[in-house]
Amino acid sequence: MERYDEAMSEAESYYDREGGYEEFKSKYSSLYFPEEGDDYSAYLPISDNNKAKLANADGKILIGSQEVDVRDITTYKQLVELGKTPPNESKVSLMETSNVNGISTVIHNNRKFWMNTYHVNQHSMQPTIPHLFIEVCFRKKGVFGIWYNYKSYTEIEGNVSGVGYFKSNLNTFSSHDYLNIIKVVSPGSDILQAVRGTVTIKFRGMGDKTFKMTLDYPSEKKK
């Protein structure tokens, strides 16, 4: 994972000049470069995030006295199924965008931005606590029109029913994953409160452009 962090921090200095992509791909050969359509992002080729955190620069972890290669992503289809690729839909210019439980793809100059949210009753980090999962995604266009993942800053803020007030920011590669605990209707209850309200998101890649998104999840029973 540290190797991937390093790669994303350096991506712009390679993708934005002629010949840079080939150098980047050679330097970080342990990553996965699908080159699907105009998506030339480097992807971490490990589907299990916990294993990815333990893996060395070559995608291997030490089990006992043996090094085991945990890289298991070899096709673009796998990335699509894992939700790691940009959606197909797009808009050709920047506009005020307010969608329910997500924001469709917005393209402005050489930046692409979109958002997803999930009302999850279980999460691997805290498997017994329901969460609202907000996923902020972006890409940048390099030379020859290819899109790539890179490091940028986002900030979210909201005060919504079922969650309360939250404000947070991240400055790393896409996606930026924000988690907030969903409240129950009363102490000891297994019924979750409805999650409704407006979230604002700033994305530095588009000049600190502010987007607004409406959350509308009904009350439901914990699974």
Side-chain angles (χ1 to χ4, degrees), residues 19 41 97 107 126 136 138 173 183 221:
S41 292
T97 304
I107 298 176
Q126 295 175 300
V136 182
F138 50 85
F173 56 86
K183 301 174 184 178
K221 187 174 182 179

Side-chain angles (χ1 to χ4, degrees), residues 50-117:
N50 293 320
K51 291 180 180 178
K53 293 175 183 177
L54 299 173
N56 62 19
D58 296 319
K60 298 178 181 179
I61 60 176
L62 190 64
I63 300 178
S65 59
Q66 298 291 322
E67 274 195 335
V68 178
D69 194 330
V70 293
R71 291 175 294 177
D72 59 348
I73 294 177
T74 58
T75 68
Y76 198 72
K77 181 180 178 181
Q78 288 174 280
L79 293 172
V80 173
E81 292 172 347
L82 290 167
K84 295 183 179 295
T85 60
N88 290 326
E89 60 181 333
S90 65
K91 296 180 180 180
V92 297
S93 62
L94 179 63
M95 59 186 69
E96 292 294 335
T97 304
S98 181
N99 292 343
V100 177
N101 298 336
I103 293 179
S104 301
T105 306
V106 177
I107 298 176
H108 179 61
N109 293 332
N110 63 344
R111 298 295 197 281
K112 181 185 292 187
F113 174 91
W114 71 99
M115 285 183 61
N116 303 304
T117 66

